[in-house]
Amino acid sequence: MTIQLPLRKAGFDSALAVTSDHPAFHEGLSAGTEVLTADGALPIEFLSPGDRVITRSGMKVLRGVDTPAPKRFVLGFDGDEVIYADGLQVSARTGQPYLH
């Protein structure tokens, strides 16, 4: 991914190109996030398919764990779920807080 930053405001006539091998990825939960499970609060990186996770709609079986970016985790269930992570209600897919 390449981002062009115009430098005209700083008095330059060109642009600065910033290149990265990793796309900007903000979805998912970061490593170390503690997720409430049937066995207690566990770091997200310790979860695996088949684990029972406490969700807003009750206990659900975790179907998959995706790692779309370094140290980012997306939990897969049969449908969209709101989980309890680090004491907050968050989307299992995006990691964003659940706003009722």
Side-chain angles (χ1 to χ4, degrees):
M1 163 168 41
T2 301
I3 300 171
Q4 295 285 335
L5 301 173
L7 298 177
R8 287 186 198 98
K9 290 182 181 177
F12 297 96
D13 290 331
S14 62
L16 172 67
V18 179
T19 304
S20 171
D21 292 337
H22 301 290
F25 194 89
H26 302 289
E27 283 197 358
L29 296 146
S30 54
T33 300
E34 291 198 349
V35 175
L36 192 57
T37 72
D39 298 319
L42 296 174
I44 195 165
E45 58 269 27
F46 290 10
L47 298 180
S48 59
D51 286 344
R52 296 171 297 155
V53 176
I54 308 299
T55 73
R56 193 164 195 273
S57 61
M59 191 174 316
K60 302 291 181 177
V61 175
L62 182 62
R63 300 296 181 200
V65 180
D66 188 19
T67 52
K71 299 185 180 183
R72 302 299 286 186
F73 298 85
V74 174
L75 302 181
F77 296 94
D78 289 332
D80 287 339
E81 294 292 342
V82 173
I83 62 170
Y84 297 94
D86 286 343
L88 301 172
Q89 294 181 39
V90 299
S91 166
R93 186 177 46 81
T94 66
Q96 296 299 311
Y98 173 72
L99 305 173
H100 6 210

